[in-house]
Amino acid sequence: MKNITELLFVLNARGYLWFVPDKSWIKYMYKKTLHKKLNLNNPKTFNEKLQWLKINNRVPEFSKLVDKLEVKRYVAERIGEQYIIPTLGVWDTFEEIDFDMLPNQFVLKCTHDSGGLVICRNKKELDYENTQKRINKSLKKNYYYHGREWVYKNVKARIIAEEYLSNLGLNGLLDYKFYCFHGIPRFLYISEGLENHSTAHISFVNLDWTFAPYGRSDYEKFCKLPDKPSNFDKMIEIAKILSKGHKFIRVDLYNIDGKIYFSELTFFPCSGMMPFVSEQDDIELGKLLKL
């Protein structure tokens, strides 16, 4: 049975199960991932309500907000260009990339998915063959099929190069991910080292910079919270602006030497199948989201 399930997941991710209705696949995947039945008629938990939003809250313009290039324009219009990581180039294929024009350090990513990321810290040491394989694999993938997140279905697959953000910690860049309900940031989680999921750390944090009671079962928590950014109130303000008008959205930011940068917007964290430490965490967060 396990092998059959894994085969179905692979076939779906490649788009071979396109004929299966979104609702049917979402119910199947939810049961196999979280080991419980999905209640779409009367959703109570945070994860259940995200699944309901996948099916019932389809605003075509939202697709621009998950396009890693288009969203920069959207965000710049609302909070200013100074918060946008500079784009160094945009290409449709890997073969079009002119590596000679890129600086020694840069980041490559695909505009339409999650995970198609290559961080180059030294161009002389970049493994071009593996980079090409990674990027081309991402270009062929329609991320919509993974969890039937409709916002990704029609995003154009492109490659962008971005400026490398300096002063990374030993385990990578700190990510500040604000969970915003009905235009109000309620808490965030801080992540570090997501380049290697086996050694990464994630902790939920209250807006007063204390550990929140929620937890994920798939990552280690921070033993001690990193220092609170001096301009944390500004980060909250930005999250509030960018989440305005949305029932739920996660606003991801960086903070490098006191300078805030926009990272991305996410409608369905973990595709709405986040493995919380306890069922009660899922229920309590669900109370914040009004459908």
Side-chain angles (χ1 to χ4, degrees), residues 113-215:
D113 75 340
S114 176
L117 177 72
V118 174
I119 298 176
C120 177
R121 295 178 174 85
N122 186 337
K123 197 158 59 172
K124 292 181 180 179
E125 298 177 358
L126 180 66
D127 188 328
Y128 288 90
E129 184 177 345
N130 282 337
T131 297
Q132 184 176 26
K133 288 180 180 178
R134 185 179 184 91
I135 294 297
N136 283 341
K137 182 178 180 181
S138 291
L139 287 175
K140 293 176 182 178
K141 180 172 60 177
N142 188 327
Y143 194 65
Y144 150 73
Y145 287 111
H146 172 71
R148 299 300 175 94
E149 298 178 43
W150 62 270
V151 289
Y152 291 99
K153 188 173 185 179
N154 297 313
V155 177
K156 183 179 179 180
R158 289 172 288 181
I159 309 162
I160 60 172
E162 289 184 342
E163 186 175 290
Y164 176 86
L165 298 180
S166 61
N167 293 338
L168 296 177
L170 293 176
N171 297 316
L173 196 63
L174 278 176
D175 239 331
Y176 302 85
K177 302 176 182 289
F178 290 82
Y179 279 59
C180 306
F181 299 80
H182 307 283
I184 301 174
R186 303 300 293 264
F187 60 88
L188 69 153
Y189 79 58
I190 302 173
S191 64
E192 183 181 44
L194 290 183
E195 284 183 67
N196 184 345
H197 284 229
S198 63
T199 59
H201 291 81
I202 286 179
S203 285
F204 286 90
V205 179
N206 296 313
L207 296 186
D208 64 358
W209 209 254
T210 57
F211 281 113
Y214 320 118

Side-chain angles (χ1 to χ4, degrees), residues 46-64:
F46 178 59
N47 281 323
E48 284 181 332
K49 289 184 177 182
L50 289 185
Q51 304 307 326
W52 188 94
L53 288 173
K54 279 184 187 179
I55 297 168
N56 296 288
N57 190 40
R58 300 192 170 190
V59 179
E61 289 76 12
F62 288 178
S63 290
K64 294 181 180 180

Side-chain angles (χ1 to χ4, degrees), residues 24 75-76 95 144 190 213 223 235 237:
S24 299
V75 171
E95 290 69 28
Y144 150 73
I190 302 173
C223 295
M235 297 176 77
E237 179 186 336

Side-chain angles (χ1 to χ4, degrees), residues 89-103:
V90 184
W91 307 274
D92 291 328
T93 67
F94 185 86
E95 290 69 28
E96 294 174 2
I97 301 175
D98 183 0
F99 284 95
D100 290 336
M101 59 80 66
L102 291 175

Side-chain angles (χ1 to χ4, degrees), residues 67-73 85-93 97 102 106-112 116-118 135 139 156-163 263:
D67 183 315
K68 291 178 174 58
L69 181 63
E70 296 297 326
V71 71
K72 291 187 178 189
R73 302 187 182 102
I85 300 173
T87 300
L88 303 175
V90 184
W91 307 274
D92 291 328
T93 67
I97 301 175
L102 291 175
F106 57 88
V107 174
L108 287 180
K109 61 174 67 172
C110 290
T111 57
H112 68 297
L117 177 72
V118 174
I135 294 297
L139 287 175
K156 183 179 179 180
R158 289 172 288 181
I159 309 162
I160 60 172
E162 289 184 342
E163 186 175 290
S263 173

